[in-house]
Amino acid sequence: MTFRNNVAAFLWGFSAMFLVLVGAMTYVLIRHGTPVGYSPIIVTGAMALFWVGAVGFTAYSNSKHCLRVTFQSGSHDFITWHFPFSKKERIVARTDIAPATVVESTDDEGAPYFYARVPIQDGTMIDIAEGHHRASCEATCIRFNAILGPRSTQAMV
């Protein structure tokens, strides 16, 4: 059984498209020059701001990861953090994984946002699901905890 949190993939795609758009705008500006009636300094400054924004947004989005938790038939499981150009994998004993719980937060606009969060014994927190719908995160927690089997949450703290 595998659990995936691919929310960051949208961010990667969006930032790549924005970077391509800024590159295309720069190509048009270089090929055709500044539009008639506009100051070259202002147009170049605006283009420089777009580049700063595009590079900053791309760096930010590349720092976000997609997550995959794979349960094997044995007692060890795999946690994989995928980044756009790399991945980090870790093998964890099933006994080191605590049950998943729903954590409520707020998004940038103040709306409720939920995470299906799983603590690992070493203090690492992984989010196996996230979104604006609590029921979806609760369902993911139930499926995840069913695979872990019955255990005391007190023993994991």
Side-chain angles (χ1 to χ4, degrees):
M1 178 70 127
T2 300
F3 291 87
R4 290 182 172 87
N5 182 350
N6 292 324
V7 172
F10 174 79
L11 194 60
W12 299 343
F14 190 78
S15 70
M17 294 302 292
F18 186 65
L19 197 59
V20 168
L21 178 68
V22 171
M25 288 178 7
T26 303
Y27 171 75
V28 169
L29 180 66
I30 291 170
R31 182 174 173 138
H32 297 289
T34 56
V36 176
Y38 290 94
S39 168
I41 294 173
I42 292 176
V43 172
T44 305
M47 190 57 62
L49 285 176
F50 273 110
W51 272 108
V52 168
V55 170
F57 181 49
T58 301
Y60 170 76
S61 68
N62 287 345
S63 72
K64 300 299 179 185
H65 64 270
C66 289
L67 179 80
R68 184 176 65 210
V69 178
T70 305
F71 285 100
Q72 301 292 324
S73 58
S75 62
H76 289 84
D77 305 309
F78 295 93
I79 301 172
T80 308
W81 293 266
H82 289 274
F83 295 90
F85 302 107
S86 66
K87 77 175 184 176
K88 178 180 151 189
E89 191 168 64
R90 183 172 162 196
I91 300 172
V92 179
R94 193 164 297 174
T95 56
D96 291 343
I97 302 172
T101 57
V102 176
V103 176
E104 185 172 350
S105 182
T106 56
D107 64 8
D108 294 338
E109 298 173 353
Y113 196 79
F114 304 96
Y115 297 93
R117 188 159 287 164
V118 177
I120 308 296
Q121 191 171 22
D122 67 356
T124 304
M125 298 288 186
I126 58 174
D127 296 325
I128 56 174
E130 60 184 275
H132 288 97
H133 303 287
R134 182 182 193 96
S136 174
C137 288
E138 286 175 345
T140 302
C141 286
I142 290 169
R143 284 192 346 258
F144 188 88
N145 293 340
I147 293 172
L148 284 180
R151 62 177 66 201
S152 169
T153 57
Q154 301 297 337
M156 298 305 290
V157 177

